[in-house]
Amino acid sequence: MNMKKLMVLMVFAAIMIFTAACGNSNGASDSEGAANGSGDGSQASESNNVGGELKGRIVVGGSSALQPLAAAAAKGFMDKHPGVEIQVQGGGSGTGLSQVAKGNFDIGDSDYFAEAKEGIDAGALVDHKVAVVGMTAAVNPEAGVKNLSQEDLIKVFTGKVTNWKEVGGNDVKITLVNRPDGSGTRATFVKFALKGATPAEGIIQDSSNTVKKIIQQTPGAIGYEAFSYFDGSGKMVKLSIDGVEATDENVKNGKFPIWAYEHMYTKGEPDPIEKAFIEYMLSDEIQKGLVPQQGYISATQMQVERNAAGEVTKK
Amino acid sequence: MVKNETTKERWFGKKSEWRGKLVIYSSAIFILAATVAITLFLTLKGLQSFLVSKLDVVYFLTHVNWHPEQDHYGALAFIFGSFAVTILSAAVAAPLGIGSAIFMTEIAKKWGQKLLQPVIEILVGIPSVVYGFIGLTVIVPFIGKYIGGLGYGILAGAVVVGVMILPTVTSIAADAVKSIPDDIKNASYALGATRWQTIYKVIIPAALPSLLTAVVLGMARAFGEALAVQMVIGNARGFPDSLVDPAATLTTIITLSMGHTTYGSTLNNALWSLGLILLVMSYVFILLIRFLSKRKNS
């Protein structure tokens, strides 16, 4: 009997510890993150004074669209600064914003402005726009369309038109492939291609590669992809809109409207390592090398600017 | 288990036993505590959408309108999708699993087991993303071409998950059939029954509670499967009109939306509530298994 009582006691003790740990995790990680941040900062500035060399460790994470570019740039940065370790993670734009706001990530990657998200104090975050991603509708070749007016595109995505022949294509049924709610790609496409109209129901997939596969194998399917997912093989048509081709050049000069910034957010002003890494991201070496290589558009070469409300202005 | 006569002295007296016990007891306590903690955490998080974000519980469980951008959170279509995939996949896996279990224990005892055992192990070892990919590449186009619709839907999900849970069902069913005493079978043969009659009239009824347990365990796995289903079901939010109409399950909505939500937002809380439904269902499945195995003992 004694034994049983002891067991019960121990189980309860363990539960208490567990729940206490769960409850406090936010606070604990906050202070930990802050401590780490300041530690990194002082360490970095200290060694700056001594040898002019950065030293420390930062975590970058969030948007899976930006992850490959961030990872490749981090590798280049670490080769230049052997004392710095940069860990790049994915997890989605929402995760990036939440974690940088909490202090768990030093840099939070996001496909959309922090202002666009509920539950994030955008005022506490500093925005660094490191690249631009152009997107357009991706169409199965059997649809027989290469260009649509924006008006027709909205009709297709809102379900007002259900057969491609109604918008000048072949007699094939339209199948919509959407992204999930909250996806940065979906938000960008809805806002700038569909002028805010809610897409009709269809297949929903998150991964760009799965969407590509579905569009390629389903006759009459239409979805939306970043430019980098079109490989020119003709299995997936890169749709022109209102006669404007979906090219990097047309995004840069503001003729093609569907694009989004890739943001890197820091909590407050960046500390020396974060600052050096973001400056490296914006350097010509990356903006003219890795950025176009990986299918992104250089942020520094944009001739137009867009704010969080979506208003576009000439630079 | 520890018996009543175990005293404090014995617990602390022998050093060597004490260490072993410490390891074993702490493992047991850890599992217990982890389960309780996960349940508590998920319950607290899952209830936040109703307590903090002020969603209506009844609306949440009985409506099919899921449009977070318009503040509509009705999860019924996903609950239905989860049950439909689970029940249909059990319908796929139960006859196949029980059939092959009987084959390898009763009909071809030696080479049947030698052949089927590794096959089952291979099926267990394949990661679910591979099942999903095969489903997307082979099953979905096949259904779209020969059965109807686009191929994305509950039917494709059920086929993929049915194959995934087949090994679970088969191995537990094989154990169940094996555990039937030879005396019963021999008595049946002695009465002049054929092998088929023995299987049909003696073995299956005698093993039925355990066979049902095997199927329910498979269903519990099917209910929680996310990745493979996500790739073939289409993930549409509306209520499906047919088995080949795109649909969604609780798990697919969680995995699709989780990375895009911020901590503490209404959508994030609503996703936790979907997780809570999954947890409650897994408790129901466990209770069902308990009930079935109790029936076997009495």
Side-chain angles (χ1 to χ4, degrees):
Chain A
M1 282 317 280
N2 237 344
M3 201 41 239
K4 270 188 185 163
K5 271 185 191 164
L6 191 71
M7 278 277 293
V8 169
L9 209 75
M10 283 172 83
V11 169
F12 268 97
I15 293 164
M16 296 302 265
I17 293 165
F18 250 86
T19 43
C22 289
N24 282 341
S25 67
N26 288 349
S29 50
D30 252 347
S31 53
E32 209 180 300
N36 269 347
S38 59
D40 280 348
S42 58
Q43 224 182 340
S45 47
E46 231 173 79
S47 40
N48 250 346
N49 291 340
V50 180
E53 185 51 48
L54 292 167
K55 215 177 172 77
R57 181 173 177 274
I58 58 169
V59 179
V60 180
S63 158
S64 45
L66 186 53
Q67 195 183 359
L69 177 65
K75 195 171 170 293
F77 188 80
M78 286 188 284
D79 287 344
K80 282 205 166 97
H81 304 275
V84 177
E85 194 196 331
I86 301 176
Q87 203 191 3
V88 181
Q89 301 179 3
S93 299
T95 309
L97 288 172
S98 303
Q99 296 299 326
V100 73
K102 274 197 224 166
N104 294 339
F105 286 171
D106 299 286
I107 297 177
D109 301 341
S110 171
D111 296 352
Y112 34 72
F113 284 92
E115 286 86 345
K117 267 306 190 205
E118 181 196 352
I120 292 291
D121 178 15
L125 300 177
V126 181
D127 183 11
H128 311 271
K129 305 181 183 80
V130 295
V132 167
V133 168
M135 297 162 202
T136 189
V139 190
N140 182 277
E142 284 182 43
V145 294
K146 288 202 158 62
N147 175 48
L148 278 182
S149 66
Q150 192 165 21
E151 209 180 309
D152 280 347
L153 186 71
I154 295 172
K155 277 186 196 160
V156 166
F157 265 97
T158 50
K160 290 203 178 81
V161 162
T162 54
N163 193 304
W164 283 111
K165 68 179 178 193
E166 295 169 63
V167 288
N170 301 332
D171 184 7
V172 180
K173 199 175 153 270
I174 296 173
T175 299
L176 300 178
V177 186
N178 276 303
R179 301 299 173 97
D181 299 302
S183 142
T185 311
R186 179 184 173 121
T188 306
F189 192 80
V190 165
K191 195 165 186 181
F192 302 109
L194 306 183
K195 292 180 179 163
T198 307
E201 271 314 312
I203 295 163
I204 298 182
Q205 285 295 350
D206 195 15
S207 140
S208 297
N209 280 315
T210 313
V211 169
K212 182 173 172 179
K213 189 164 173 57
I214 290 174
I215 290 171
Q216 289 181 347
Q217 77 179 23
T218 313
I222 182 168
Y224 31 90
E225 290 274 23
F227 287 176
S228 53
Y229 285 91
F230 296 89
D231 50 16
S233 67
K235 288 183 193 158
M236 189 163 84
V237 176
K238 193 180 193 182
L239 198 75
S240 302
I241 292 167
D242 285 331
V244 181
E245 265 187 77
T247 60
D248 290 2
E249 216 36 62
N250 283 337
V251 169
K252 282 181 201 165
N253 62 28
K255 280 187 192 151
F256 192 81
I258 315 166
W259 54 270
Y261 286 114
E262 291 295 338
H263 307 262
M264 280 188 164
Y265 279 99
T266 53
K267 193 178 184 181
E269 284 306 319
D271 71 24
I273 300 181
E274 294 161 20
K275 192 161 181 264
F277 181 58
I278 289 167
E279 274 168 8
Y280 179 70
M281 289 290 303
L282 291 170
S283 70
D284 273 1
E285 183 187 344
I286 297 293
Q287 292 291 325
K288 286 185 178 159
L290 270 179
V291 166
Q293 250 173 48
Q294 297 213 0
Y296 303 85
I297 298 166
S298 163
T300 52
Q301 289 171 19
M302 289 295 286
Q303 292 152 32
V304 289
E305 246 179 331
R306 192 192 268 158
N307 63 14
E311 292 149 352
V312 177
T313 46
K314 281 262 176 224
K315 241 183 190 174
Chain B
M1 274 311 291
V2 182
K3 283 171 196 156
N4 279 351
E5 70 251 30
T6 314
T7 57
K8 245 184 176 177
E9 253 185 4
R10 229 177 126 186
W11 183 242
F12 292 107
K14 292 179 187 171
K15 239 188 170 178
S16 55
E17 266 192 35
W18 183 79
R19 278 186 200 159
K21 275 182 183 168
L22 184 74
V23 171
I24 290 164
Y25 275 99
S26 45
S27 321
I29 289 166
F30 178 79
I31 286 196
L32 259 169
T35 313
V36 174
I38 287 171
T39 308
L40 276 177
F41 180 73
L42 202 48
T43 310
L44 286 176
K45 284 295 297 178
L47 290 177
Q48 266 181 11
S49 53
F50 309 118
L51 299 176
V52 179
S53 306
K54 303 283 176 215
L55 296 182
D56 184 1
V57 186
V58 178
Y59 187 91
F60 191 78
L61 294 173
T62 56
H63 280 70
V64 294
N65 187 357
W66 181 272
H67 283 283
E69 71 277 18
Q70 293 155 18
D71 271 325
H72 291 305
Y73 295 91
L76 184 65
F78 313 146
I79 299 171
F80 170 80
S82 278
F83 275 99
V85 168
T86 304
I87 291 165
L88 278 176
S89 65
V92 171
L96 288 173
I98 294 171
S100 40
I102 289 172
F103 179 81
M104 65 193 242
T105 49
E106 290 304 315
I107 292 170
K109 282 185 190 175
K110 276 185 186 154
W111 65 268
Q113 189 135 17
K114 259 187 197 157
L115 184 79
L116 280 175
Q117 200 66 43
V119 170
I120 291 169
E121 281 156 16
I122 289 169
L123 283 182
V124 173
I126 298 173
S128 62
V129 65
V130 175
Y131 279 107
F133 208 61
I134 295 171
L136 182 60
T137 319
V138 182
I139 293 166
V140 167
F142 181 86
I143 292 174
K145 202 166 174 190
Y146 296 105
I147 298 177
L150 293 162
Y152 299 95
I154 289 168
L155 184 61
V159 171
V160 169
V161 179
V163 175
M164 282 184 72
I165 65 171
L166 196 53
T168 313
V169 177
T170 309
S171 47
I172 298 170
D175 287 342
V177 175
K178 263 187 237 163
S179 70
I180 292 173
D182 282 341
D183 292 352
I184 296 179
K185 293 179 219 163
N186 291 339
S188 169
Y189 288 127
L191 285 170
T194 61
R195 184 156 72 180
W196 169 242
Q197 285 167 334
T198 307
I199 290 171
Y200 188 66
K201 296 262 163 112
V202 177
I203 294 173
I204 291 184
L208 195 62
S210 305
L211 293 180
L212 287 176
T213 307
V215 175
V216 174
L217 262 175
M219 285 169 78
R221 258 202 82 188
F223 203 76
E225 172 53 35
L227 202 53
V229 180
Q230 184 184 317
M231 292 172 85
V232 299
I233 199 167
N235 306 307
R237 290 176 287 195
F239 204 83
D241 296 328
S242 72
L243 292 182
V244 290
D245 206 29
T249 68
L250 296 165
T251 47
T252 63
I253 291 297
I254 294 176
T255 50
L256 276 177
S257 313
M258 207 42 129
H260 301 300
T261 64
T262 47
Y263 198 81
S265 61
T266 311
L267 177 56
N268 189 283
N269 287 339
L271 294 178
W272 282 105
S273 302
L274 296 182
L276 181 60
I277 296 177
L278 284 166
L279 183 79
V280 169
M281 277 316 297
S282 80
Y283 273 83
V284 170
F285 280 121
I286 290 164
L287 285 178
L288 201 59
I289 291 167
R290 293 271 138 192
F291 173 72
L292 289 172
S293 47
K294 236 187 208 147
R295 240 183 23 164
K296 181 180 118 188
N297 292 340
S298 61

